[in-house]
Amino acid sequence: MQAKYFPDTDTLLLIFSSSEIVESYDLNENTLVEIDAVGNIVSMTVEHAKQQTNVNEFSFQLAPVH
Amino acid sequence: MTDMLEARFTQYFLYTRNRPDRCCINLDWIFETVANPDAEVVQQDGRIRRWKRIPEAEGRFLRVILLEDGVTIHNAFFDRRFQG
């Protein structure tokens, strides 16, 4: 998984896999979701990301396995 | 009509352009959609969506997103849900 931020347009691109994208659709006007042939999410684009997300405090945590 | 020499692109566009689903989109189709769209919607943020049916791409509709300046190309993809 990758997160890429484009400061020129305040756009956040989350890439979940490298599967081939077959369809793009709007979750809302600022969020574009792209899926593969079996409906799995491949990427998500969030526009005006600073208004909608805490993009400056991105972190990743792997939950412990019990 | 816009051509490569005078076109402006966002960094997001240039990055996603390399993806397999985007690299097959001919730049001329994008410029034609900008210049002669079949439909246009201005978003709440001022960005502009334009669609055009592309006969060379099995008649699919290409959606191009322009920034508020009406010139800079930010996104372009085939929009299967657009009905025309």
Side-chain angles (χ1 to χ4, degrees):
Chain A
M1 181 179 166
Q2 292 180 54
K4 285 195 163 290
Y5 179 69
F6 301 88
D8 60 326
T9 51
D10 189 21
T11 302
L12 177 65
L13 174 62
L14 300 173
I15 303 168
F16 298 95
S17 81
S18 57
S19 296
E20 183 180 357
I21 293 167
V22 299
E23 187 167 358
S24 305
Y25 66 92
D26 304 292
L27 205 58
N28 56 46
E29 197 174 78
N30 291 319
T31 310
L32 185 71
V33 174
E34 297 180 300
I35 59 174
D36 65 16
V38 293
N40 290 325
I41 187 167
V42 178
S43 66
M44 176 183 288
T45 298
V46 180
E47 303 290 357
H48 308 291
K50 285 183 178 174
Q51 295 172 26
Q52 300 194 69
T53 68
N54 208 351
V55 80
N56 290 322
E57 295 183 26
F58 177 81
S59 66
F60 172 79
Q61 289 184 322
L62 189 62
V65 178
H66 296 288
Chain B
M1 187 175 141
T2 306
D3 61 31
M4 191 67 195
L5 292 176
E6 61 186 44
R8 291 186 225 157
F9 306 101
T10 65
Q11 291 302 307
Y12 173 85
F13 177 87
L14 295 172
Y15 179 79
T16 56
R17 180 92 188 127
N18 295 320
R19 293 194 329 205
D21 65 308
R22 303 290 173 93
C23 64
C24 63
I25 300 174
N26 191 315
L27 272 177
D28 287 339
W29 300 343
I30 295 173
F31 296 151
E32 182 61 21
T33 301
V34 172
N36 298 299
D38 294 337
E40 176 183 291
V41 170
V42 178
Q43 299 181 173
Q44 288 187 348
D45 62 3
R47 294 181 183 181
I48 303 158
R49 298 180 180 189
R50 289 182 181 160
W51 290 266
K52 189 168 188 69
R53 188 176 167 276
I54 308 296
E56 302 95 321
E58 302 158 350
R60 289 178 291 170
F61 279 94
L62 183 65
R63 185 204 293 188
V64 176
I65 310 286
L66 300 171
L67 295 187
E68 306 88 312
D69 62 9
V71 175
T72 307
I73 297 167
H74 179 49
N75 207 350
F77 57 90
F78 286 110
D79 189 344
R80 294 187 181 206
R81 300 194 174 196
F82 184 72
Q83 299 299 313

